[in-house]
């Protein structure tokens, strides 16, 4: 496919199918603070779609709207609102019964589902995720909320009893931590933001949410749902430049939990800004450079299928993507031949087209960066081995498979987060094993092989270097009930339906020496439902 063919993939104005068209520009003036949808009158930030517009054989940027660019002062009002709603733990939300909080969350879920079509359309336009994947992202998020509610009911049932040990009566529950700052990534702008926001809210924390840079307009239809479903100030949604609005919020020292999914560099800056790091809890999902290791004797077709999915689904823009493939020399030729055959079937195009696998990239300077990585590898002896690999037109970048890659090349070390696939041949298993051990990241690894003895010998030490070892399967986050985390520079804290509830809360207890007076006080409180904490109420 030539460059002009890549250009021809972009749509002409007015040629978008009705079920995917977006009525733009969307000039968003609203933001949500303290239970009020406010109108911003200051500067705005332009939102540019990766779906560019074609006209007379050339392509241009498609501006699909704008969002408020708040000042630090305006962002501070959100901090005040979240702080007032928490009210040092005395607020309505943190002291509310779990059952009532669940009702608010169920109300929000109903409202969220009503905006399904709009949100999916915006995911396609803002980050060029295929319709299929955008739909999955939305539905997976709803399922995650439902599963979180069920998990909280379970947790609450387990806590609805008193323990008596060594003459002390106690009730243990999980309590909120305070004010949570939630920031998700652009590749899962809804799902991964909600993966922290939902557990943070439902455990009784109050939140400030800043949508990611790309995937921001999709929060506009949700502002009303947030406002209606939750008490004032429990959820505040702010927009703008991170350095302007987030840095001062962190520097205020009033954030209790930083829930951030993005790069480790930004996570470090944010954490360092907090004047009392010991009081700040981090729930962080950061970088990864997950390796796929294809052993001698691996089942080639299965390995190819998983490696292709792992390296190129959503153009490789997943933190869990396989970002480097080590293939044993004895099978590297056949592996490459089959990989390239499978890659040739991946159709590039626009997110709404049926069967599309490669779509435009939302980060504007990403094609330049990927091009640099390819040129660096080629200058150091690798070849782009797929026809047309690395060709680009605007935001479209045709996947480039690089072979043979070695450690002198940047792509061997850097997290490319895009459609560049480095393949490293190896003789000695120590080579890929050392790679995993020396990496500054420690999220996951995929091992492809058929010999149970070799796999077993690899699994035992690998589980102490990464947080998930996948056998003959690509790396991935799901199912969402499985723990998702990482070691080293990849993560802090664990997410999953149940783990996230723990991450955003702390075990707290009320205890009393057992005697007639204390027995009678506790009985009185419980019997007359005087407390939401000291209670044996059971949520069914
Ligand atoms: O970007 C990182 C995501 O958590 C990956 O999730 O494996 O479900 O695509 P996924």
């Amino acid at each position: 496919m030539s460059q002009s063919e890549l250009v021809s993939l972009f749509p002409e104005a007015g040629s978008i199918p009705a079920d995917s068209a977006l009525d733009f520009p969307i000039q968003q003036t609203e933001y949500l603070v303290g239970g009020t949808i406010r109108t911003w009158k200051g500067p705005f930030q332009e939102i540019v779609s990766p779906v560019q517009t074609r006209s007379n054989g050339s392509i241009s940027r498609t501006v699909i709207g704008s969002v408020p660019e708040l000042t630090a002062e305006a962002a501070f009002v959100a901090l005040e609102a979240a702080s007032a709603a928490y009210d040092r733990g005395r607020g309505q939300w943190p002291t509310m019964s779990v059952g009532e909080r669940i009702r608010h969350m169920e109300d929000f879920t109903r409202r969220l589902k009503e905006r399904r079509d709009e949100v999916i359309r915006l995911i396609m336009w803002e980050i060029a995720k295929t319709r299929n994947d955008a739909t999955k992202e939305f539905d997976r998020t709803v399922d995650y909320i439902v599963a979180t509610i069920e998990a909280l009911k379970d947790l609450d049932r387990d806590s609805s009893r008193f323990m008596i040990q060594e003459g002390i009566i106690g009730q243990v529950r999980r309590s909120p931590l305070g004010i949570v700052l939630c920031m998700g990534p652009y590749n899962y702008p809804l799902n991964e933001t909600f993966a922290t926001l939902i557990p943070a809210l439902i455990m009784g924390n109050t939140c400030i949410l800043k949508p990611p840079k790309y995937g921001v307009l999709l929060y506009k239809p949700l502002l009303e749902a947030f406002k209606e479903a939750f008490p004032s100030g429990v959820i505040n949604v702010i927009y703008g430049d991170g350095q302007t609005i987030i840095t001062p919020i962190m520097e205020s020292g009033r954030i209790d939990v930083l829930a951030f999914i993005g790069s480790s560099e930004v996570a470090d800056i944010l954490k360092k800004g907090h004047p009392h790091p010991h009081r700040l809890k981090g729930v962080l999902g950061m970088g990864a450079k997950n390796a796929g290791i294809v052993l001698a004797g691996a089942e080639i077709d299965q390995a190819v299928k998983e490696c292709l999915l792992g390296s190129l689904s959503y153009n490789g823009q997943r933190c869990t993507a396989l970002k480097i493939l080590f293939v044993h020399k004895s099978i590297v030729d056949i592996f490459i031949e089959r990989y390239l055959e499978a890659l040739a079937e991946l159709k590039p195009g626009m997110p709404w087209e049926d069967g599309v696998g490669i779509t435009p990239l939302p980060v504007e300077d990403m094609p330049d960066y990927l091009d640099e990585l390819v040129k660096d590898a080629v200058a150091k002896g690798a070849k782009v081995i797929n026809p047309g690999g690395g060709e680009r037109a605007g935001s479209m970048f045709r996947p480039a498979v690089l072979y043979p890659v070695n450690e002198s090349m940047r792509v061997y070390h850097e997290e490319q987060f895009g459609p560049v696939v480095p393949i490293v041949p190896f003789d000695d298993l120590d080579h890929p094993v050392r790679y995993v051990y020396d990496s500054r990241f420690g999220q996951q690894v995929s091992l492809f092989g058929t010999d149970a003895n070799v796999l077993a010998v690899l699994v035992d030490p690998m589980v102490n270097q990464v947080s998930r070892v996948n056998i003959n399967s690509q790396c991935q986050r799901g199912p969402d009930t499985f723990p998702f985390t990482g070691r080293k520079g990849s993560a802090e804290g664990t997410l999953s339906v149940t783990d996230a509830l723990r991450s955003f809360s702390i075990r707290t207890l009320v205890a009393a020496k057992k005697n007639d007076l204390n027995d009678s006080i506790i009985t009185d409180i419980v019997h007359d439902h005087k407390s939401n904490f000291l209670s044996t109420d059971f949520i069914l």
Side-chain angles (χ1 to χ4, degrees), residues 103-259:
R103 278 190 284 284
H104 282 276
M105 192 58 83
E106 286 171 340
D107 179 23
F108 173 70
T109 313
R110 270 190 299 278
R111 295 170 191 273
L112 171 67
K113 279 156 97 176
E114 286 168 11
R115 314 312 289 257
R116 183 174 183 269
D117 177 66
E118 265 168 285
V119 174
I120 291 172
R121 224 175 260 241
L122 282 161
I123 295 178
M124 286 196 285
W125 278 89
E126 289 198 86
I127 60 159
K129 196 170 260 194
T130 63
R131 178 198 301 285
N132 208 2
D133 285 348
T135 304
K136 267 197 241 157
E137 175 163 353
F138 187 92
D139 293 343
R140 178 181 180 181
T141 305
V142 172
D143 291 346
Y144 180 84
I145 303 177
V146 173
T148 299
I149 290 172
E150 287 311 310
L152 180 57
K153 286 183 186 169
D154 268 349
L155 190 67
D156 194 70
R157 280 191 283 264
D158 289 346
S159 323
S160 293
R161 54 187 290 272
F162 285 84
M163 299 182 302
I164 302 174
Q165 296 278 328
E166 299 174 27
I168 297 184
I169 181 163
Q171 185 168 28
V172 183
R173 288 186 181 275
R174 298 201 72 95
S175 302
L177 296 166
I179 304 174
V180 179
L181 176 61
C182 276
M183 296 166 70
Y186 80 82
N187 63 335
Y188 279 96
L190 179 76
N191 180 269
E192 291 229 311
T193 310
F194 274 46
T196 60
L197 176 74
I198 298 302
L201 284 175
I202 209 164
M203 292 312 286
N205 302 282
T206 60
C207 297
I208 300 169
L209 185 160
K210 179 189 168 304
K213 184 165 177 203
Y214 310 96
V216 52
L217 281 170
L218 63 90
Y219 279 90
K220 180 171 150 60
L222 307 185
L223 294 183
E224 193 69 30
F226 282 135
K227 171 181 157 324
E228 293 299 326
F230 297 107
S232 300
V234 167
I235 163 82
N236 305 278
V237 186
I238 57 173
Y239 298 84
D241 169 60
Q243 258 190 330
T244 309
I245 63 171
I246 298 301
T247 305
I249 286 182
M250 289 304 291
E251 287 172 353
S252 74
R254 291 164 67 187
I255 294 297
D256 298 291
V257 187
L258 171 65

Side-chain angles (χ1 to χ4, degrees), residues 510-525:
V510 176
K513 287 200 173 148
K514 199 167 158 19
N515 55 38
D516 289 349
L517 174 65
N518 289 342
D519 285 0
S520 118
I521 291 171
I522 291 172
T523 305
D524 187 22
I525 291 174

Side-chain angles (χ1 to χ4, degrees), residues 140 185 187-188 192 317-320 417 443 475-478 484:
R140 178 181 180 181
N187 63 335
Y188 279 96
E192 291 229 311
Q317 299 168 121
R318 293 161 60 225
C319 63
T320 48
F417 219 81
Q443 194 197 59
C475 296
Q476 62 182 52
R477 180 156 68 104
F484 178 57

Side-chain angles (χ1 to χ4, degrees), residues 7 74 114 265 310 478:
V7 169
E114 286 168 11
E265 290 76 15

